[in-house]
RNA sequence: GGCGCGGUGGCAGAGUGGCUAUGCAGCGGAUUGCAAAUCCGUGUACACCGGUUCGACUCCGGUCCGUGCCUCCA
């Protein structure tokens, strides 16, 4: 069996993955803030870590994959004010939509999907620990992490505290001892969501939730922590600071999580997705328009850590691959088999999905002989191939009549008439496909 | 400005110190009455300039260009 190698952002090297406990591999990935539909970038993260969990499961008997739902956040509050819907209505609605949409993309539900609001007590506990260890202080209703108290701060992103301040875009607030200090807890007004705490009524800062949920559900240190590349700083840097300092691991940045995996950014037709450009591609919309497996194939068509440009052409190519798979697996048949060794090997090499797809194409040519291997390989990739529906899903008396007339002409060897009808329908965007079971047609 | 990442054939996208993937598109052919599908064949591409080397797309240095983060962000 090939050894799994992963690029570790913390060490900046590709490393052979060695679990802390081979009997139980633990993976955490930062999940979405549920205030809106997930976009294709969120979907990439979900697909990448779903795949990583699947690959891990081929090698280890027990794998726990946790990915959180952030359900307390200022953006959610803003959405609530805007729409008049309650916070709960919003978070419940978009959590369900997120899970449904990711399921369409072939993502299994994480083993644990903790919600921030269910872990406020755990967060308060960590904050208290940090205060007790002189890494945090209360000030003006806020509690802040004191960055200068953690010498190794910045080790993940390669950014020193001074450099962070040099950017001069960090919020300089009167209650901060140091401009780099970040919020662990902040006060809420009466009409804002909040919880009672030793520092008064308030709510947690953004970073603390992941420190709390990962520790509670996985224990420290755990094996792999993942998320989008943009989370590296400040989110993951701050998670490390909180978790290492609260757990007495100030000297070892890997005292929180051993391996850090970051997936690359998604652009759309060469441009950054943004509301102002109006080019945000929602997973929900895409899933209405294309089969989920096609989207998954498209998302995996570049290696996870590389940037991915989301284009019509890419979806089109994924669509063609999917159609080939559908044809190859049209007959139920041998469902047994293990995933192809070369494909597994490609995935074990830092999830090299493009290389795995090369193998997939070879398997496709051999599908007649070894459909079981192809099925098992697709299973591992999380690509669920659903047989194509019989072509003519719609019915149109005029077209059906012409198709029937053409079939009759063919039977009479009147090919001139048959071709005439083909051309006529083609002009209307109708394609006739002859099959052993008769002619079918579809709009193209 | 600081910290990163990357520049590979028409497009996408792996990879390797020497044998130069793969997919899509294109072209040629087989097959099919014609199509579709399928199959076969076909492209010495690795930003630029130096260096190391018997040999570099691959290692080192520099240049140019693109891009991400540094503020909420997957």
């Amino acid at each position: 069996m090939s050894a799994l190698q992963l690029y570790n952002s913390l060490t900046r090297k590709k490393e052979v993955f060695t679990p802390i406990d081979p009997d139980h591999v633990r993976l955490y990935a930062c999940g979405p803030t549920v205030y809106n539909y997930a976009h294709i970038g969120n979907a990439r993260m979900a697909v990448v870590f779903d795949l990583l969990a699947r690959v891990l499961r081929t090698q280890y008997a027990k794998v726990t994959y946790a990915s959180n739902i952030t359900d307390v956040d200022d953006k959610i509050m803003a959405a609530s004010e805007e729409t008049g819907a309650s916070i709960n209505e919003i978070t419940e609605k978009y959590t369900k939509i997120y899970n449904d949409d990711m399921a369409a993309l072939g993502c299994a539900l994480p083993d644990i999907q903790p919600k921030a609001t269910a872990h406020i007590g755990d967060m308060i506990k960590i904050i208290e620990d940090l205060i007790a260890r002189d890494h945090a202080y209360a000030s003006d209703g806020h509690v802040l992490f004191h960055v200068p108290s953690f010498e190794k701060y910045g080790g993940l992103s390669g950014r020193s505290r001074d450099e962070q301040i040099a950017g001069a875009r960090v919020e300089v607030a009167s209650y901060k001892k140091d401009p780099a200090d970040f919020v662990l807890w902040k006060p809420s007004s009466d009409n804002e969501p909040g919880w009672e705490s030793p520092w008064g009524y308030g709510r947690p800062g953004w970073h603390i939730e992941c420190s709390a949920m990962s520790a509670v559900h996985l224990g420290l240190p755990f094996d792999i922590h993942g998320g989008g590349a943009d989370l590296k700083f400040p989110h993951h840097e701050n998670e490390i600071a909180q978790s290492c300092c609260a757990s007495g691991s100030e000297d070892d940045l890997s005292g929180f999580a051993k391996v850090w995996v970051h997936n690359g950014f998604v652009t759309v037709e060469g441009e950054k997705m943004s509301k102002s450009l109006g080019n945000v591609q929602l997973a929900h919309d895409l899933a209405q328009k294309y089969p989920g497996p096609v989207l998954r194939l498209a998302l995996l068509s570049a290696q996870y850590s590389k940037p991915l440009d989301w284009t019509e052409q890419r979806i089109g190519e994924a669509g063609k691959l999917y159609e080939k798979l559908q044809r190859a697996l049209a007959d139920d048949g041998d469902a047994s088999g293990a995933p192809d060794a070369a494909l597994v090997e490609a995935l074990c090499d830092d999830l090299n999905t493009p290389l795995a797809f090369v193998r997939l194409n070879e398997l496709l040519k051999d599908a007649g002989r070894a459909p079981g291997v192809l099925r098992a390989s697709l299973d591992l990739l999380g690509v669920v191939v659903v047989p194509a529906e019989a072509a003519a899903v719609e019915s149109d008396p005029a077209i059906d009549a012409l198709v029937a007339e053409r079939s009759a002409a063919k039977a009479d060897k009147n090919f001139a008439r048959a071709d005439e009808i083909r051309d006529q329908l083609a002009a209307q965007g109708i394609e006739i496909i002859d099959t052993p079971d008769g002619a079918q047609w579809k709009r193209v």
Side-chain angles (χ1 to χ4, degrees), chain A residues 9 51 55 119 243 245 253 268 328 356 368-369 380 404:
Chain A
S9 303
L51 177 63
V55 172
H119 294 80
S243 294
C245 289
L253 292 178
V268 170
R369 261 178 294 152
L380 173 56

Side-chain angles (χ1 to χ4, degrees), chain A residues 149-227:
Chain A
S149 77
F150 183 38
E151 202 177 323
K152 295 217 165 206
Y153 186 83
L156 176 67
S157 58
R159 209 182 301 263
S160 74
R161 185 197 141 273
D162 294 340
E163 282 163 356
Q164 186 192 346
I165 294 165
R169 289 201 271 178
V170 289
E171 183 190 2
V172 179
S174 59
Y175 48 80
K176 286 186 178 182
K177 282 190 192 171
D178 186 281
D181 292 353
F182 58 89
V183 171
L184 299 170
W185 188 266
K186 57 185 163 190
S188 291
S189 62
D190 289 343
N191 59 345
E192 289 173 335
W195 292 261
E196 287 306 328
S197 80
W199 317 284
Y201 182 74
R203 60 189 192 276
W206 173 35
H207 316 297
I208 195 70
E209 57 171 276
C210 290
S211 285
M213 291 185 277
S214 56
V216 165
H217 292 286
L218 300 179
L220 298 190
F222 55 93
D223 294 295
I224 302 172
H225 190 129

Side-chain angles (χ1 to χ4, degrees), chain A residues 276-295:
Chain A
S276 55
L277 285 171
N279 65 346
V280 175
Q281 300 277 310
L282 301 178
H284 193 74
D285 295 338
L286 288 164
Q288 308 294 315
K289 203 170 160 192
Y290 305 98
V294 169
L295 301 173

Side-chain angles (χ1 to χ4, degrees), chain A residues 268-389:
Chain A
V268 170
E269 304 288 351
E271 288 182 309
K272 179 169 176 171
M273 255 193 295
S274 74
K275 281 182 185 165
S276 55
L277 285 171
N279 65 346
V280 175
Q281 300 277 310
L282 301 178
H284 193 74
D285 295 338
L286 288 164
Q288 308 294 315
K289 203 170 160 192
Y290 305 98
V294 169
L295 301 173
R296 187 173 178 104
L297 287 168
L299 282 170
L300 293 176
S301 63
Q303 198 259 358
Y304 77 87
S305 67
K306 297 282 172 68
L308 178 82
D309 194 25
W310 188 253
T311 62
E312 286 290 336
Q313 182 172 344
R314 189 184 290 278
I315 303 170
E317 288 187 21
K320 280 185 185 174
L321 175 57
Y322 184 62
E323 283 172 21
K324 281 192 206 179
L325 291 168
Q326 286 182 312
R327 281 191 289 269
L329 297 173
D331 313 317
D332 300 327
D334 184 9
S336 65
D340 177 72
L343 183 135
V344 173
E345 197 179 329
L347 292 177
C348 281
D349 184 8
D350 202 22
L351 301 184
N352 191 336
T353 46
L355 198 54
F357 283 12
V358 168
R359 191 57 196 148
L360 202 57
N361 271 294
E362 291 171 17
L363 293 175
L364 210 38
K365 292 186 180 176
D366 272 353
R369 261 178 294 152
V373 173
L374 179 56
R375 281 179 199 281
S377 300
L378 287 166
D379 240 32
L380 173 56
L381 287 167
V383 175
V384 180
V385 178
V386 182
E389 298 164 41

Side-chain angles (χ1 to χ4, degrees), chain A residues 32-44:
Chain A
T33 302
V34 281
Y35 68 105
N36 203 341
Y37 289 93
H39 54 63
I40 194 67
N42 298 297
R44 188 184 195 193

